[in-house]
Amino acid sequence: MIKIKKRWEIPEAEVTPEALYRRRREFIKTAGTIGGALLLNPWAAARASLEIGDYRKKVISIDDEITDEDDATSYNNFYEFGTGKEDPKRNSKRFRTDDWTITVGGECEKPATYGLEDLFRPFPIEERIYRLRCVEAWSMVIPWLGVPLGSILKGFQPTSKAKYVAFKTLHDPVRMPGQQRSVLNWPYREGLTIAEAIHPLTLLSVGMYGKTMPNQNGAPVRLVVPWKYGFKSIKSIVGIEFTEARPPTSWNLASSSEYGFYSNVNPEVDHPRWSQKRERRIGEIFKRDTLMFNGYEAEVAGLYDDLDLVVNF
Ligand SMILES: Nc1nc2c(c(=O)[nH]1)N[C@H]1C(S)=C(S)[C@@H](COP(=O)(O)O)O[C@H]1N2
Ligand SMILES: [Mo]
């Protein structure tokens, strides 16, 4: 937390102390009985109720228990560092992300290569507690730190021809040894429609659990699109391009019958090889029902009013 504050100058009131996440539940159950100074700090309590605006309150998944931080940082999908769930943590230990830049191009008035800190400096970092539902039918609840993607995209002044936004992960087989094997068509690519990209739930994230983004979770900057399957939330982004045509995406290129462009979480549309009706929440024993749009139906269903979600899976 201290590190992230230094690098992006987050206003004090924008960051919740890490201990608060971990112990929020205990706090609710035993408020007043735990002696921890941080827990009972009136500033922290005031922040929880005053700083979170109406919209944020609505989108934060307050009923779901936050996934254990150790689980969220040791059970990962990040094929650039290996295909096993425990590979990314082990193989990304020495991945350096200093002086990171994002190159912006395509249909916009301000194409350029931007330093990461310059992109984030104008905006307060927000905390967003979101469900993450992997297409493999497991899920987590993660407290992200970031800025709505739309706030940052606006600065590039997309033209009227910009219908989609394409994202690209770093391609460097030396730094990302998983890229030495052709398990995917590197670099990893993802894309959103403009309306999805500027939707207030879509986050450009630089941290989680009150800290800078761990390498295995997509350091230093990744996308978080909570109503879509996890693979849309592309990690370690170095390129953003505004396009008129729908951009190619890695998983769709790998298997178009299994991974559609939209990939909205939808319990009614099964993966060809398994059901999407239920999911295993990491840390829980029993499976739970998967929710339409991963529980964000009220916020995002309107984006798809004119779309057949079975055809456009
Ligand atoms: N560049 C890149 N981004 C990626 C992936 C990947 O392999 N490479 N895996 C995706 C998948 S399948 C999921 S479920 C999420 C996992 O994010 P997490 O490890 O932070 O939970 O990242 C997504 N973003
Ligand atoms: Mo995934």
Side-chain angles (χ1 to χ4, degrees), residues 72 75-80 132 134 138 140 142 144 169 188 216-217 222 230-231 233-235:
Y75 184 92
N76 300 102
N77 276 335
F78 199 174
Y79 280 16
E80 285 83 343
L132 174 81
C134 177
W138 53 265
M140 298 189 189
I142 299 180
W144 303 105
T169 295
Y188 195 103
Q216 61 270 31
N217 293 91
R222 68 173 293 174
F231 66 85
S233 293
I234 181 174
K235 297 176 170 181

Side-chain angles (χ1 to χ4, degrees), residues 65-72 139-143 209 281-282:
E65 187 139 14
I66 291 172
T67 299
D68 187 84
E69 183 182 354
D70 283 338
D71 289 341
S139 64
M140 298 189 189
V141 177
I142 299 180
Y209 295 87
R281 179 68 54 85
I282 301 300

Side-chain angles (χ1 to χ4, degrees), residues 150-165:
S151 304
I152 289 176
L153 293 187
K154 208 175 156 191
F156 308 138
Q157 298 177 19
T159 70
S160 59
K161 281 190 180 165
K163 301 281 189 287
Y164 296 90
V165 192

